[in-house]
Amino acid sequence: MPEIDRFPYNKDKQQAFQAAQQGYEEAQGLAATIISDSASYGHQLKHLKEEVNEAYQQIENALEVASEHQRAQLERFQQDLQSIVEEVNLTE
């Protein structure tokens, strides 16, 4: 008989947080590589917006099950993503 996982909620919480963190880091990395005078800037910008939107969604999902410590980190992720959006909007 398979062993029953006694803490599926905690496991889900950790997986949700890790997904949000990964999405955030991907958006951050992409933002750092965009060169505004590049020929592919428009394409890069579109890709960045998709990554940021995906990261926001992952953060929202993670916030639903986050611990207090995770919640604080996730909220910082949201603030950093907001800064990226504002920075990109200024250069458009």
Side-chain angles (χ1 to χ4, degrees), residues 22-90:
Q22 184 177 353
Y24 162 77
E25 289 171 355
E26 287 173 9
Q28 282 278 74
L30 196 55
T33 63
I34 285 187
I35 302 165
S36 60
D37 60 355
S38 164
S40 62
Y41 179 70
H43 175 72
Q44 291 176 334
L45 191 60
K46 182 176 184 270
H47 187 60
L48 174 61
K49 288 178 180 178
E50 291 167 358
E51 287 292 334
V52 167
N53 286 336
E54 188 175 321
Y56 265 123
Q57 189 59 54
Q58 290 168 326
I59 291 168
E60 288 297 319
N61 292 343
L63 280 169
E64 291 177 16
V65 295
S67 67
E68 267 185 61
H69 174 74
Q70 289 173 332
R71 181 172 298 281
Q73 185 68 42
L74 291 165
E75 288 170 353
R76 281 195 293 277
F77 291 167
Q78 281 182 319
Q79 290 167 357
D80 288 351
L81 288 174
Q82 185 59 40
S83 295
I84 291 171
V85 168
E86 289 168 4
E87 192 175 313
V88 168
N89 284 339
L90 289 176

Side-chain angles (χ1 to χ4, degrees), residues 11-28:
K11 194 164 139 186
D12 290 347
K13 193 187 300 189
Q14 188 61 31
Q15 286 174 337
F17 179 80
Q18 287 171 343
Q21 185 174 29
Q22 184 177 353
Y24 162 77
E25 289 171 355
E26 287 173 9
Q28 282 278 74

